[in-house]
Amino acid sequence: MTDGIRGLELDKILAAAAEHAVLEESKRLICALTPTHDLAICRERLALTGEASLLLFTLGAGRVEYFPPLNDSAERAEKGATLSCRELTDAAQLLRSARICSRSICAFDSAEIGGMRALAERLVFSESLERDVEDKILGDGLADHASEKLYHIRSEMRLLGERIRARLSEYLTADRNYLQDAVVTMRGDRYVLPVKVEYKRSIKGFVHDRSQSGATVFIEPEEVLEMNNELRSLQLDEKEEEERILAALSHAFGAMRAALEEDVRILAEIDSYFARAEYGYALKGTRPAVNDRGIVEIRKGRHPLLDAKTAVPVTVSVGERYRFLVISGANTGGKTVTLKMCGLFCLMAACGLFVPAAEGTQLAVFDGVYCDIGDSQSIEENLSTFSSHILAMKDILARAGEKSFVLIDEPGGGTDPEEGQALACAILKTLLRRGCRGILTTHYSALKELAFREEGAENGCMEFDAESLRPLYRLQTGMPGASNALLICTRLGLDEEVVSLAREGLSEGAKAFEHTVRAAEESRIRAEEATARAAALERSWKERMETLEQEEKKFAQTRERFLANSKAEARRIVTARTAEAEEILSQIEEIFAKETLTEADLIHARTLKNRMGVSQEEEAPPARAVSVDAEKLKVGDRVLVMSLNAEGEVLSLKREKNTAIVQCGALRVESKFSDLCIPAAAKKRTPEIRVTRDLNERQRVSRECNVIGMSTSEALLEVEQFLDSALLQNLSEVRIVHGMGTGKLRAAIHDYLRHNRRVKEFRLGKYGEGESGVTVVTLA
């Protein structure tokens, strides 16, 4: 795939992905990636990139921590060499990175990150050795507490140094004439005094050095000679102890050489997949499906090297219904970019990289991706543009086979047009016979015609707006595109006289073909626009129909609630009036049950009779209604909606539908004229009230109401009627059997009883009474 890597700029993509890596080894690994031609490996790479993306952007795992390259330090440590403090610190950073990475990934027990978890579980680390190095090494040296012996040595050195400086300070304060500077300095790890050369015999001691000018000699006085010797001995002890500590730490790392080198490799691999995931996230890329059947289907893809804000997404399909796509159209219309994008996406997927395209994109894994793109003229090799293209085609034809993806930008260019298009047609026929998949771009009419005739080939065009004379950068398959070269020349400001002369120079066949192609393209664009408008209109009507259906359902539900409430209210009124009438009749019966009736009793009975008359008059049935005259019906008329048995006011009329909008209280309904009546004026009359004495024994009401199997609304109506009858019979306690079930019916009945003033209290049944399937009600 080397030709594809060079021509399709995969190296730039890999370099951009490598910038997201933490480790230098990871960057090198990504830049050195080679696209695989094995479908299983390709799927494994993409799966690991997907797992890395899940870890980073969903589960919140941390990245691989940086550690410097080990170079050959582990190998030298294994052979017995003592490493420096910096090398040991670097090795400890590797152990820290391995520990943090392993625990970070393995903390998520998810089957969706199985590959990354398997890599992390192979990491080896030693937390004790890591901590040992961190505790004993500070910067580029060992800490005082690296060992107990080192601590004591350094403590003695500090005390001895203070004694030496104190003794030498006496020289500074006594007489400074012979001192060049009033300071104590060191030469060769020994404390000395800077003495003027003319006074060098004034101080007994050893001369260790002399300044470059010769004006100063550095003398170690005899009085501090022994202390300096002791200090030197302590320094040798210190160095010996430091070497022992470093040797022990180096030996521990040397024993882990193989594990450390394996950790470096695994961490670099994990970091490389994290980098690929971050690069895919930056591209807003998706994980493509991959196949080995040569099918390339890109949905709304854009070249990753283009600006995402301005790039126009392109949808391309090749390899399933047809093996070769011949793309034509205007210059600068996006043909070459589309061709390069298809090849680059296949290479990116083969490297485990996500591609900037929509979900549903699938790419093929090829044995080779070969391309001949752009001007390959070589002055050094004395090759013309045509010659360089021919050499590239020679190489492609020598290697391309059934599992190859071939991308050729304008084959046959750079020579005589007639011979060039004949050569281009021959190349396409040869590649089709070999079973290759690929894309060609061209301006040749003969190649466009061949794509119509040849099985396995298909035309495609980059859309061009003939009105604005600008390319639209959208690919359409099934139709070739016009080059529109002269139109583009006009847009770019070329002299109109030159353009006119060019048009006159076109052959009649070329004019006819270009005109036919352009007309067909414009017709297709208009048809697609009309189809888009029709689809938008269809979506709009579907949304309206759904809205109307929802409103119809709401209206039906409101109507049912209204009817149920009306029936319940009617029953309540009848029950109340019946109870009141029964009470009045009972009082009248008590009056007439007396053996002797007084005038006051008769007045009382008459008063009770009058009360019944008022009640009955108030509840008089509605007057009869007559059908409306549709011609005379107008807005504002009072009408009776027969289906609802409700009176309302006409708000508007729809005579074409024979319907009217009527406001019935809080409810607005649309009713047909046939369902409307005009109520006649109710005639007031004084009803004749006849008081009779019903001495027959009243019908006994059952003390139990069974509502099992009823809906909630049906059960509540049944319970209401049952309680009314129980009250009329002066029952103090009744039972409602509702069953256990889901508890929904029981809850609704309890809520109704809780707000009923006639209910004193209620409870669930006890053992032997039905338990939670029965509610026992005590009436007030």
Side-chain angles (χ1 to χ4, degrees), residues 490-506:
T490 302
R491 179 173 70 85
L492 295 177
L494 189 64
D495 192 337
E496 183 61 33
E497 183 179 356
V498 176
V499 176
S500 299
L501 287 173
R503 286 197 181 96
E504 293 174 3
L506 290 174

Side-chain angles (χ1 to χ4, degrees), residues 483-540:
S483 296
N484 295 299
L486 298 182
L487 291 177
I488 294 174
C489 291
T490 302
R491 179 173 70 85
L492 295 177
L494 189 64
D495 192 337
E496 183 61 33
E497 183 179 356
V498 176
V499 176
S500 299
L501 287 173
R503 286 197 181 96
E504 293 174 3
L506 290 174
S507 66
E508 293 300 322
K511 290 179 182 178
F513 184 80
E514 287 293 317
H515 177 74
T516 302
V517 170
R518 191 179 301 112
E521 187 174 352
E522 292 173 356
S523 299
R524 178 184 54 75
I525 293 174
R526 287 195 298 271
E528 288 181 352
E529 291 175 350
T531 302
R533 288 195 298 271
L537 187 62
E538 183 181 2
R539 287 194 300 271
S540 174

Side-chain angles (χ1 to χ4, degrees), residues 34 45 57 68 82 91 161 163 167-168 182 200 264 384 388 409 421 510 530 565 655 672 743-744:
T34 302
R45 287 178 175 181
F57 306 116
T82 299
R163 287 170 54 201
R167 182 68 189 91
L168 293 177
K200 65 180 181 179
V264 170
S384 66
S388 62
D409 187 24
Q421 66 181 353
N565 292 338
R655 297 190 183 278
K672 293 189 175 295
K744 183 178 179 181

Side-chain angles (χ1 to χ4, degrees), residues 528-724:
E528 288 181 352
E529 291 175 350
T531 302
R533 288 195 298 271
L537 187 62
E538 183 181 2
R539 287 194 300 271
S540 174
W541 275 108
K542 283 184 178 179
E543 291 174 359
R544 291 186 181 183
M545 289 299 297
E546 290 175 358
T547 303
L548 288 174
E549 288 176 1
Q550 292 175 359
E551 291 181 355
E552 185 178 357
K553 290 179 181 179
K554 290 180 181 178
F555 172 75
Q557 293 172 356
T558 304
R559 177 178 176 180
E560 290 178 2
R561 286 197 299 270
F562 179 79
L563 291 175
N565 292 338
S566 299
K567 292 178 181 178
E569 182 64 18
R571 278 194 293 270
R572 187 191 64 77
I573 293 172
V574 169
T575 302
R577 293 293 182 262
T578 302
E580 184 179 358
E582 290 283 349
E583 179 65 24
I584 293 173
L585 287 174
S586 177
Q587 294 180 23
I588 293 174
E589 287 177 0
E590 291 178 359
I591 293 173
F592 284 100
K594 296 180 180 179
E595 295 181 358
T596 304
L597 295 176
T598 64
E599 186 175 353
D601 293 333
L602 293 175
I603 293 172
H604 188 200
R606 192 178 297 112
T607 302
L608 293 173
K609 184 194 76 165
N610 292 338
R611 280 177 58 190
M612 287 186 65
V614 172
S615 298
Q616 290 182 7
E617 185 175 351
E618 288 176 353
E619 298 297 326
R624 288 189 176 183
V626 295
S627 299
V628 299
D629 187 346
E631 299 296 330
K632 296 180 180 180
L633 187 64
K634 62 183 182 299
V635 175
D637 286 350
R638 299 291 297 180
V639 295
L640 180 68
V641 182
M642 299 300 292
S643 59
L644 298 179
N645 194 26
E647 188 175 339
E649 181 181 348
V650 177
L651 297 180
S652 62
L653 299 171
K654 296 182 180 180
R655 297 190 183 278
E656 68 278 2
K657 294 185 178 181
N658 291 325
T659 60
I661 305 297
V662 182
Q663 184 74 40
C664 298
L667 187 65
R668 180 177 296 184
V669 298
E670 181 176 355
S671 299
K672 293 189 175 295
F673 290 155
S674 58
D675 193 35
L676 301 179
C677 292
I678 297 178
K683 296 180 181 179
K684 294 184 178 180
R685 60 185 180 86
T686 303
E688 296 182 0
I689 299 176
R690 181 175 300 173
V691 179
T692 60
R693 299 175 64 188
D694 185 5
L695 300 180
N696 295 327
E697 185 178 357
R698 295 179 184 173
Q699 182 180 0
R700 292 291 178 182
V701 179
S702 172
R703 291 179 175 270
E704 183 175 285
C705 174
N706 192 330
V707 295
I708 294 176
M710 297 184 185
S711 65
T712 303
S713 56
E714 292 173 346
L716 291 179
L717 290 175
E718 186 69 23
V719 168
E720 183 180 17
Q721 293 176 3
F722 171 69
L723 294 180
D724 290 341

